[in-house]
Amino acid sequence: MANYETQVVVIAAGPSGLSAAVQAAEDGAEVIVLEKAAAVGGAANMGMGPLGIGTKYQKKQMEDITVEKAFNMFMEYTHYNVDARLVKRYFEQSGETIEWLEDMGVEFEGAYRYFPKSEPTWHIVKTDQGIGPRAASFMNKALYSRAQELGVKVLLETPAKKIVMEDGKVAGVLATDKDGNEIEITCKAAIICTGGAGCNPKLIKDETGYKHGEDMFNFAIPGIMGDGLRMAWETGADKLPVRIEQAAAIEGVDDLPGSVGNIMGQPNLLVNLQGKRVMNEDHMQNATYLSNVVSHQKGRVCISIVDSSIAKYYMRNGVDNVSMVRPNPDVSDFADAIKMAKENGNEGLYIADSIEELAEKAGIDVDNLVDTVEEYNDFCDSVDEEFFKDKRYLRPITKAPFYGARIRPGGYGTVGGIRINENCEACDKEFEPVPGLYAAGADACNIYDDSYMFLLPGNSMGFAVNTGRIAGMSAAEYVEDSINIYYMKCSSADQQRLSCNEKMTESNGAEWIRNSALI
C-alpha cells in the first residue's frame, strides 16, 4: 500500500474540487487532489461559466442586479426552504470570485441571461472559438494550472474509496490507483466534490423515483456515481434529499439540425397525452418550469405542436425566443431537417397531414386534441382565456403538415445529499460539523429545494466554484487551528524547538510536526 501525508485531501477535480484545492493552497495548506478520471474538470467541461453578482461586466452593461436583489429573488423563489446564510455568503462572494478567476488568466465574454426572462448573471468564459458549449473547460485549465503552480499534487485515475475517521475526526482517505493498488493518505481534512450521482440510474430511481432513460433524460457524465455522497453518509454526515437539477429535454432531436429543437421549443401549443393544454407556453423558455410541468403529466411527457404556417413564419423571420443554448434565431434549414428526420425514421418527431393523425402517432387522445386545437385557434382570434398567454405568441394551428415533438423531464444531474452549513462544513443530524469534513458543489447543493433557480443563470457552476472556495478556506483554517492547538499543548521546551527549527509558519509548521518525533 502506497502512503502519502498531507493536510487537506480534495476528492474529485471538477470546478468545486479545483477551486477548493487552489483556495486551500493559497491559504497555506498542503493539498492532494484525488480524481477518478484521466482528466480534470468533470461535468463542468461541458458548461459555459459561473454566476456572478455585482460584477464589472454587469455595471458596464448597465444591468441592475445586486446581491440584495438576487438574494430576495432566490429566497422568495424557494419559499425560504433553503439555508439563507449559505445563499447569502455564496452570492456576496460571487462577484469577487469572478475577479479571483481573472487573476488566474480566465477571461469572460460578459454577463448574460440564459433566456429573455432571466437575469444577466451568467458569466460566459471566453474561448478561442466564440460563445458556446464547453467554454468552462478553459476555466478548469486555468484552475488546474494555478493548483500546480501552488504545489498541489493531483493524482489522476485515483478514485477515493473511504474517508478514515479517528476519534470522530477525519484522519485520512483511502483510494486506489489506476493499477488497482491501494493508497492511504493521512490528512487533517477532506473536501468532497464528486459532482453528485447523475450517472447512477439506481440511485436516481431510489432517491427521486425517476427512471433514467425512460422518464428522466438528465446528463449522465461517466463516473459520476455518487461516491462522495456514500462516503459522507458513512462518516455520519446527515443525508438530505437528492434531487435532479431539472431542465426539460426535447426527445429525439439531438441527431437533427438545431432548427428542429429551436422551433419545437417555441411558445406555441403544448399538450399532454390527454390532449389538454398544461401551461402558459410563454414559460416554456424556462426549462425548469417546463420540466416541472411535464413531470406531473401522464407518462411524464408533453407534446409541442406547430403547423406548417408557423414553421414557415419562423423560417422567414427567425424564432420568437432564443437562449444561450440555442442563440441563433435562424431556422431556415428546418425543411431540410424535417426531410432528414423522415429519412432517419426519427421517433421523437411526429409529422402528420391532420390533427387526428398527429394525435394517433403521438399517442394523444384524438377527440380531446381536436377540441383543444379548435379552442386554441379561437383564442388566437381574441385572447387566451385559459392560461393568459401573450397575444404575440398566439398563432393558430390550421395548416398541414403538422409537427409534434415529445418533451420529457431532463436535467444536468443530481444535486444535494450532504448537509452543509455556510462554511461548507459537512454536518451531522444534530447540525454539528463533522470535524475535518467539508463538501462543495453538486454533492452539497441543497439550495434549490424542488426547483433549479434558472432565473439567475450560472447558478450550478457558480455554486460549485464558490462553495469550493469556501470549503478550501474553511479546511485551511481548520488545519491551521489544529496546528496552533497542538503548539499550545506542547511543553515550553518543545515550543522552543518548533520555533527555532521552523518558526511555525502556516505552510511548513505542519511539515515539521509531521516529521518530528512529537507526533
Side-chain angles (χ1 to χ4, degrees):
M1 177 184 289
N3 295 298
Y4 294 87
E5 293 185 12
T6 192
Q7 293 174 328
V8 177
V9 172
V10 177
I11 302 174
S16 58
L18 290 171
S19 298
V22 169
Q23 186 65 64
E26 287 183 341
D27 289 353
E30 297 172 357
V31 183
I32 289 178
V33 178
L34 300 174
E35 170 54 54
K36 72 189 301 183
V40 302
N45 284 332
M46 298 175 61
M48 295 171 67
L51 168 144
I53 298 170
T55 69
K56 64 183 181 184
Y57 299 99
Q58 290 154 342
K59 294 172 184 175
K60 184 177 180 180
Q61 295 164 205
M62 294 183 286
E63 299 286 2
D64 181 26
I65 180 70
T66 63
V67 170
E68 180 181 1
K69 178 181 178 180
F71 175 79
N72 287 331
M73 282 179 62
F74 199 99
M75 298 310 295
E76 290 169 11
Y77 181 90
T78 58
H79 300 108
Y80 276 77
N81 275 322
V82 298
D83 186 341
R85 298 183 66 83
L86 177 60
V87 173
K88 174 83 178 323
R89 181 169 182 183
Y90 156 37
F91 282 176
E92 279 189 325
Q93 182 181 277
S94 65
E96 187 268 326
T97 291
I98 298 298
E99 297 175 3
W100 180 73
L101 291 167
E102 286 181 318
D103 289 342
M104 295 177 214
V106 179
E107 297 180 85
F108 295 95
E109 295 280 0
Y112 293 85
R113 291 173 168 81
Y114 189 100
F115 52 90
K117 290 188 176 182
S118 61
E119 295 288 340
T121 55
W122 200 8
H123 287 65
I124 307 296
V125 177
K126 182 177 286 187
T127 73
D128 55 1
Q129 299 176 343
I131 295 176
R134 298 179 177 82
S137 63
F138 284 71
M139 178 188 76
N140 292 330
K141 289 176 185 176
L143 283 164
Y144 184 45
S145 295
R146 177 59 175 155
Q148 291 179 309
E149 181 182 301
L150 291 165
V152 173
K153 188 177 187 66
V154 180
L155 303 178
L156 298 175
E157 298 180 271
T158 307
K161 298 297 183 183
K162 183 180 178 62
I163 296 170
V164 179
M165 304 292 289
E166 292 180 3
D167 299 324
K169 300 178 181 180
V170 170
V173 177
L174 300 180
T176 56
D177 65 18
K178 62 182 179 180
D179 298 318
N181 301 312
E182 291 189 354
I183 294 173
E184 182 173 3
I185 306 174
T186 301
C187 63
K188 293 288 186 183
I191 306 175
I192 295 172
C193 304
T194 56
C199 197
N200 189 331
K202 184 179 186 305
L203 190 146
I204 290 172
K205 174 66 166 59
D206 292 345
E207 295 292 329
T208 71
Y210 289 102
K211 297 177 182 178
H212 178 75
E214 294 183 33
D215 58 11
M216 171 51 64
F217 294 83
N218 64 279
F219 291 164
I221 308 301
I224 300 183
M225 300 293 289
D227 301 331
L229 300 177
R230 172 186 54 77
M231 286 185 278
W233 296 335
E234 287 174 352
T235 68
D238 194 14
K239 178 181 178 181
L240 294 185
V242 177
R243 306 182 189 278
I244 296 290
E245 189 178 41
Q246 290 206 33
I250 301 176
E251 185 182 354
V253 301
D254 291 342
D255 60 341
L256 299 174
S259 57
V260 176
N262 208 343
I263 284 181
M264 302 315 294
Q266 294 302 309
N268 292 292
L269 179 61
L270 184 74
V271 300
N272 58 19
L273 294 181
Q274 295 163 298
K276 302 290 187 179
R277 287 180 73 200
V278 292
M279 68 185 299
N280 175 347
E281 290 91 350
D282 187 12
H283 292 300
M284 288 172 63
Q285 62 182 272
N286 186 327
T288 293
Y289 287 175
L290 180 56
S291 192
N292 285 347
V293 168
V294 174
S295 293
H296 292 286
Q297 306 307 314
K298 179 182 178 181
R300 287 179 173 161
V301 63
C302 283
I303 310 296
S304 171
I305 298 174
V306 300
D307 74 349
S308 59
S309 64
I310 295 173
K312 288 178 181 177
Y313 172 84
Y314 287 144
M315 291 170 67
R316 288 194 306 269
N317 303 292
V319 293
D320 292 318
N321 293 325
V322 296
S323 70
M324 291 305 297
V325 170
R326 295 190 177 95
N328 190 353
D330 182 8
V331 290
S332 56
D333 64 348
F334 181 73
D336 293 334
I338 292 300
K339 181 179 178 181
M340 183 185 301
K342 289 180 178 179
E343 292 173 350
N344 296 345
N346 187 282
E347 296 182 357
L349 186 68
Y350 307 107
I351 306 167
D353 292 324
S354 68
I355 292 298
E356 290 85 353
E357 182 188 2
L358 184 69
E360 290 174 357
K361 285 186 173 183
I364 303 171
D365 183 289
V366 177
D367 292 337
N368 283 348
L369 182 59
V370 169
D371 290 343
T372 293
V373 170
E374 182 178 338
E375 182 179 52
Y376 182 79
N377 289 343
D378 288 341
F379 294 156
C380 294
D381 291 330
S382 54
V383 295
D384 179 5
E385 297 177 4
E386 188 165 30
F387 291 123
F388 318 109
K389 183 161 68 175
D390 192 315
K391 185 167 178 59
R392 60 184 163 156
Y393 300 132
L394 289 170
R395 297 190 177 93
I397 309 292
T398 57
K399 186 174 181 181
F402 302 95
Y403 306 100
R406 282 199 301 255
I407 296 181
R408 295 281 198 176
Y412 303 115
T414 69
V415 288
I418 304 173
R419 182 184 296 281
I420 62 170
N421 59 21
E422 71 269 26
N423 301 317
C424 291
E425 297 171 291
C427 297
D428 62 20
K429 294 182 185 301
E430 299 300 319
F431 290 67
E432 294 298 325
V434 177
L437 186 62
Y438 303 85
D443 293 318
C445 188
N446 307 299
I447 63 169
Y448 304 135
D449 194 45
D450 64 355
S451 298
Y452 178 55
M453 183 27 160
F454 237 152
L455 299 175
L456 297 170
N459 239 307
S460 182
M461 195 172 295
F463 184 84
V465 173
N466 281 281
T467 53
R469 290 191 67 199
I470 294 168
M473 295 174 196
S474 298
E477 183 178 3
Y478 174 83
V479 168
E480 182 180 359
D481 289 346
S482 297
I483 294 170
N484 290 338
I485 290 171
Y486 182 84
Y487 179 73
M488 295 303 295
K489 289 182 178 179
C490 288
S491 65
S492 297
D494 287 336
Q495 288 184 14
Q496 186 174 7
R497 287 169 57 208
L498 286 168
S499 181
C500 291
N501 281 278
E502 298 291 345
K503 300 186 186 301
M504 203 53 193
T505 61
E506 289 182 8
S507 61
N508 59 24
E511 182 70 23
W512 193 94
I513 293 174
R514 212 171 24 247
N515 294 330
S516 73
L518 293 175
I519 57 172

